[in-house]
Amino acid sequence: MIRVNDNFAKAMEFTSFKKKESVSDDELINAVLKFETVLSKESGIIYHCLVRNFKNEYANVLFVTEIDDLKKLEENLMQLQEAQDFFKLIDEQSIKMTFHKILKDDFQVHNHFSCIECGTFELKNDYDNHKLFTISESIEREYLNTFKNTKAHFIGSVKENRFSEITIGETLGKTKEICFGYFNNQFCKPLLEMADETTMELDFWYLIA
């Protein structure tokens, strides 16, 4: 985990993957730590960490000042030995890279957290973006921020009519409990109603490096 600065983040890269079967957790973590020494010198970097879920999948989580920084970063990293040493431990067929444009002003990554909830979805045809943002603000104000566990939250744009809801929490257990509370909360139900449930993807990831 590295924090380069406290700048406002406008984009997040979330790249999930599986390590090769012959690679140990310690090997992967050590490679990530070395990778971060060169990553921290790249333009636009704010924060990076490695997380894991209960399916033995891992994910690079990277916050940057502008989404264009992510595109430049891809090209630059392939030239660096530390990046190549990290990437060669990964099962290439398992890689899923997603860029999230953060649709929130003045978003900052919290200093202390251990869990990231990452959900993506598409809207039903009769809903618009503006209503999504209004509902998200209501959820944050009336529900999420009533819990000490909630450290940060935003709606992101992944591609046309595909959005993400990201919640950063203090612990995995409490973050999951709060998430599943959406089904019974009057401020959260409108978001569930406007999302196309056949397009929903959701997982919880805990910090390991």
Side-chain angles (χ1 to χ4, degrees):
M1 180 188 74
I2 55 167
R3 176 184 292 278
V4 178
N5 54 60
D6 293 317
N7 292 344
F8 296 129
K10 286 296 183 182
M12 179 187 80
E13 175 194 323
F14 194 96
T15 301
S16 63
F17 61 89
K18 291 183 178 180
K19 62 180 178 63
K20 293 178 179 176
E21 290 186 9
S22 60
V23 175
S24 70
D25 285 336
D26 285 340
E27 287 177 298
L28 182 68
I29 290 173
N30 288 335
V32 168
L33 296 178
K34 292 177 182 177
F35 167 64
E36 287 182 335
T37 63
V38 296
L39 180 63
S40 64
K41 299 173 184 177
E42 294 294 316
S43 175
I45 302 297
I46 296 173
Y47 182 94
H48 172 268
C49 66
L50 181 70
V51 295
R52 185 177 184 175
N53 64 12
F54 289 155
K55 304 171 189 172
N56 285 326
E57 296 171 328
Y58 302 81
N60 271 322
V61 183
L62 180 63
F63 288 92
V64 296
T65 52
E66 299 290 343
I67 198 161
D68 286 344
D69 294 326
L70 293 175
K71 299 168 184 176
K72 296 174 186 175
L73 187 63
E74 278 189 276
E75 301 174 3
N76 295 345
L77 289 179
M78 295 311 298
Q79 312 303 318
L80 302 174
Q81 186 61 50
E82 292 85 352
Q84 293 175 23
D85 291 342
F86 170 40
F87 298 152
K88 72 182 182 182
L89 304 181
I90 295 172
D91 177 359
E92 292 185 11
Q93 299 302 315
S94 69
I95 296 173
K96 297 177 183 177
M97 178 182 289
T98 308
F99 291 171
H100 303 250
K101 182 178 180 181
I102 298 173
L103 303 177
K104 183 177 187 179
D105 294 330
D106 302 341
F107 177 82
Q108 287 183 298
V109 184
H110 198 274
N111 281 320
H112 305 292
F113 69 93
S114 67
C115 175
I116 296 179
E117 172 197 333
C118 183
T120 59
F121 58 91
E122 295 178 10
L123 298 180
K124 295 175 182 175
N125 292 333
D126 52 346
Y127 287 100
D128 58 34
N129 298 1
H130 179 71
K131 188 168 185 177
L132 171 63
F133 304 145
T134 301
I135 291 173
S136 174
E137 289 174 354
S138 177
I139 291 173
E140 190 170 314
R141 182 179 61 252
E142 304 292 345
Y143 182 65
L144 292 175
N145 287 349
T146 65
F147 298 95
K148 181 182 177 182
N149 183 82
T150 304
K151 301 305 178 186
H153 169 263
F154 69 84
I155 291 291
S157 173
V158 175
K159 60 183 180 180
E160 185 175 359
N161 196 38
R162 188 157 190 86
F163 299 90
S164 58
E165 186 187 28
I166 309 296
T167 303
I168 297 176
E170 187 173 85
T171 69
L172 184 145
K174 194 65 179 178
T175 302
K176 290 184 74 171
E177 180 182 68
I178 294 168
C179 175
F180 293 129
Y182 272 40
F183 293 102
N184 299 311
N185 184 274
Q186 61 176 321
F187 299 104
C188 303
K189 284 182 179 179
L191 176 60
L192 300 177
E193 291 169 356
M194 70 188 302
D196 179 351
E197 62 181 19
T198 66
T199 68
M200 290 181 180
E201 296 181 9
L202 174 67
D203 209 343
F204 299 86
W205 305 76
Y206 59 93
L207 186 68
I208 62 170

